[in-house]
Amino acid sequence: MSKRNSVAADELDDVSKTIIEQLQQDGRRSYATIGRAVGLSEAAVRQRVQKLLESGVMQIVAVTNPLELGFPRQAMVGIKVEGPLEPVAEQLEAYDEVDYVVIVAGAFDLLVEVVCESDEHLLDILSHRIRTIDGVTATETFMYLSLRKQTYSWGVR
Amino acid sequence: MSKRNSVAADELDDVSKTIIEQLQQDGRRSYATIGRAVGLSEAAVRQRVQKLLESGVMQIVAVTNPLELGFPRQAMVGIKVEGPLEPVAEQLEAYDEVDYVVIVAGAFDLLVEVVCESDEHLLDILSHRIRTIDGVTATETFMYLSLRKQTYSWGVR
DNA sequence: AGTGAAACGACCGTAGA
DNA sequence: TCTACGGTCGTTTCACT
């Protein structure tokens, strides 16, 4: 392999970018259909897609909608920590209700997104699962009122 | 149609949940393969998947990795607003570099995630595109240091 | 990296329990 | 909502460039 780490955006030619765009619209679009759109054979498209998947540039997955699945309460929780951050992050990652964990620089040390069934469920997670973690000194909760935009299409369009 | 709004989680039977799980692992897994796993015909799986897609419970898409695409700077920006929130949200949604916009209750009114190429790029967005929007009174930026967990699999497992 | 061709498997529409 | 089935189309492998 030529590169271990990140692929500069300009290493992707227009053909690969178009392929990604097509799959962002419909992850099951056939290689043959995409091939017609980009002027390449089906096999060529398939090889490019496989590379994009193997290199981690892209993944093709089902994304579910929590609102439609009976998990209507979402919140972002900012967390302040004393001591090392990674052990706290690890414990947060383990919770199913926590779908997003990021270590940040700023007034918080960690941001986590929580998805749950009800206010009681959220309170339980916050109070008994987050605030009891060793090193957590403070939390601040931002209840979601309206999710306005959520894009999975970084950097292409 | 029997229901207009959200589908309770328990309205999805175990078969549909398993189908979703399979597609969360690989969005291109064939209906026939999934059918073998759940003990259903290919056509039955296809019909269920179509329903899940049409009803908005699930989508199958390519998800790209910003780090691998030359967009290594990410930040969450908390925004305080005076006056109505929706017009501000709308303007934020229009920016390509903003991939996530949510109206929240708490110390901020809006949370937006920004994906960009460099610190200069981030500064430009923050200073000239976010802080110039009418009604924005304050922002607070949380630079991403390490994205630790990001799940698209809400509510099933 | 790409093409083309042949065998195979998946997908789609339709009919019917 | 599911199965069954036939026609069509997509995918896979391989030899070649």
Side-chain angles (χ1 to χ4, degrees):
Chain A
M1 305 245 161
S2 55
K3 289 241 174 179
R4 293 259 83 211
N5 290 318
S6 89
V7 176
D10 45 44
E11 287 188 29
L12 288 179
D13 59 18
D14 288 345
V15 173
S16 286
K17 285 184 185 173
T18 307
I19 292 172
I20 292 174
E21 279 171 31
Q22 299 259 332
L23 290 168
Q24 281 169 344
Q25 290 164 34
D26 175 7
R28 288 186 82 91
R29 191 161 295 167
S30 78
Y31 301 140
T33 304
I34 296 168
R36 272 173 240 124
V38 301
L40 231 57
S41 72
E42 178 276 331
V45 174
R46 183 156 37 87
Q47 284 167 33
R48 280 173 180 255
V49 170
Q50 231 170 291
K51 263 200 181 167
L52 291 168
L53 295 174
E54 280 167 7
S55 65
V57 171
M58 173 179 87
Q59 53 181 323
I60 298 174
V61 290
V63 176
T64 51
N65 180 345
L67 273 76
E68 298 287 335
L69 280 167
F71 292 78
R73 287 289 174 287
Q74 282 181 269
M76 188 71 73
V77 181
I79 302 174
K80 297 187 193 192
V81 172
E82 60 179 12
L85 301 171
E86 291 93 337
V88 178
E90 260 172 51
Q91 291 184 70
L92 291 164
E93 288 158 31
Y95 300 145
D96 281 351
E97 294 93 343
V98 172
D99 68 335
Y100 198 72
V101 176
V102 58
I103 298 176
V104 293
F108 300 116
D109 299 303
L110 290 157
L111 290 174
V112 309
E113 190 180 70
V114 179
V115 180
C116 53
E117 294 169 26
S118 63
D119 290 341
E120 295 74 36
H121 189 191
L122 177 59
L123 174 61
D124 179 56
I125 294 161
L126 186 66
S127 191
H128 299 116
R129 291 179 176 270
I130 296 178
R131 294 175 66 94
T132 52
I133 293 173
D134 206 57
V136 170
T137 58
T139 66
E140 191 167 340
T141 303
F142 304 92
M143 294 284 292
Y144 283 21
L145 300 178
S146 173
L147 182 51
R148 302 286 308 230
K149 180 179 184 179
Q150 187 171 28
T151 300
Y152 306 105
S153 315
W154 300 283
V156 178
R157 241 195 221 293
Chain B
M1 305 239 162
S2 55
K3 291 241 174 179
R4 294 258 83 214
N5 290 318
S6 89
V7 176
D10 45 40
E11 288 188 29
L12 287 179
D13 59 16
D14 288 346
V15 173
S16 286
K17 285 185 186 174
T18 308
I19 292 173
I20 293 174
E21 280 171 28
Q22 298 260 331
L23 290 169
Q24 281 168 345
Q25 290 164 33
D26 174 6
R28 290 186 77 92
R29 191 162 296 167
S30 79
Y31 301 141
T33 304
I34 296 167
R36 274 172 238 125
V38 300
L40 232 56
S41 72
E42 177 274 332
V45 174
R46 182 157 36 91
Q47 285 163 24
R48 279 172 180 257
V49 170
Q50 230 170 293
K51 260 200 184 167
L52 291 168
L53 295 174
E54 279 167 11
S55 64
V57 171
M58 170 180 87
Q59 52 181 321
I60 299 174
V61 290
V63 176
T64 51
N65 181 344
L67 273 75
E68 299 285 337
L69 279 165
F71 292 77
R73 286 289 175 288
Q74 283 181 268
M76 188 71 74
V77 181
I79 302 175
K80 296 187 192 190
V81 172
E82 59 180 11
L85 301 171
E86 291 93 337
V88 178
E90 261 172 49
Q91 291 183 70
L92 291 164
E93 287 158 31
Y95 301 145
D96 282 350
E97 295 92 342
V98 173
D99 67 335
Y100 197 74
V101 176
V102 58
I103 298 176
V104 293
F108 299 116
D109 298 303
L110 290 158
L111 290 174
V112 307
E113 189 180 70
V114 179
V115 180
C116 55
E117 295 169 25
S118 62
D119 291 340
E120 295 75 35
H121 189 191
L122 177 59
L123 174 60
D124 179 56
I125 294 161
L126 186 65
S127 192
H128 298 116
R129 291 178 176 272
I130 295 178
R131 294 175 65 93
T132 53
I133 293 173
D134 207 56
V136 170
T137 58
T139 66
E140 191 166 340
T141 302
F142 304 93
M143 295 283 294
Y144 283 21
L145 299 177
S146 174
L147 182 51
R148 301 286 306 232
K149 179 178 184 178
Q150 187 170 28
T151 299
Y152 307 105
S153 315
W154 301 283
V156 178
R157 241 193 223 294

